[in-house]
Structures are given as C-alpha cells and as structure tokens.
Amino acid sequence: AISVMLGTHAKFREFTPKAVCDTSQAVEVLISLSCGSREEVDDLVAKALAAGGTTYDVAEDFGFMYTHSFIDLDGHGWGLLHMSRMPAQ
C-alpha cells in the first residue's frame, strides 16, 4: 500500500522546521508510481492536466515499459509507468 499526504504549505510547515522549496527554481522530489496498464498511465496524466497540472514531455513506449509524467500544482514531478514485462538482458 502507498499513502500520499497532500496539504497546503502552511500545513506542511507544521511537519518540518526547514523552508518549503521553491519548485520553480529547484527540484524537491520526483515520485514514481507503477500503474496496472498503459490506459491507467494516460488516464492519470489526463486527470492531472485537467486539474491544472502540466507536463514537460510526451509518453514513451520502451516495449517492456510505458511511461508518462506530470507536474502537480506545487511543482512536484510524478512519473507514471506500466511495465508489461522485464527488459531483455
């Protein structure tokens, strides 16, 4: 199971004494999530874009793995992937 807590900057500051990163100037985190299908990857990216997120690339198909990503409203990068099989050695 995976849990992700999303909150306002004010709420986040309650958990750390450090400054909140300016994600327009620096990368704070890249989060990768495995999806059950290519369609799930595309659906999640579409939902993120509809909610105001952005993307900096296009979907990529490596044969064994399909990937796409988006940037959320706080500037965090989310990589989504579906692996259909392990890559050839």
Side-chain angles (χ1 to χ4, degrees), residues 40-88:
E40 184 180 8
V41 170
D42 292 337
D43 184 55
L44 289 171
V45 171
K47 286 178 179 177
L49 297 179
T54 60
T55 188
Y56 54 85
D57 64 2
V58 296
E60 294 184 274
D61 187 344
F62 296 98
F64 68 94
M65 180 174 63
Y66 180 75
T67 68
H68 204 339
S69 61
F70 66 89
I71 305 296
D72 69 21
L73 299 176
D74 288 320
H76 303 117
W78 294 78
L80 305 174
L81 63 102
H82 169 67
M83 290 189 69
S84 57
R85 62 183 186 281
M86 293 303 295

Side-chain angles (χ1 to χ4, degrees), residues 1-74:
I2 298 172
S3 297
V4 177
M5 185 186 319
L6 304 174
T8 64
H9 287 180
K11 189 65 174 175
F12 186 70
R13 285 186 190 97
E14 294 177 16
F15 293 93
T16 179
K18 293 182 178 183
V20 175
C21 176
D22 178 356
T23 56
S24 70
Q25 301 296 315
V27 174
E28 182 177 30
V29 65
L30 292 174
I31 304 159
S32 294
L33 298 175
S34 180
C35 296
S37 68
R38 294 169 55 111
E39 292 77 21
E40 184 180 8
V41 170
D42 292 337
D43 184 55
L44 289 171
V45 171
K47 286 178 179 177
L49 297 179
T54 60
T55 188
Y56 54 85
D57 64 2
V58 296
E60 294 184 274
D61 187 344
F62 296 98
F64 68 94
M65 180 174 63
Y66 180 75
T67 68
H68 204 339
S69 61
F70 66 89
I71 305 296
D72 69 21
L73 299 176
D74 288 320

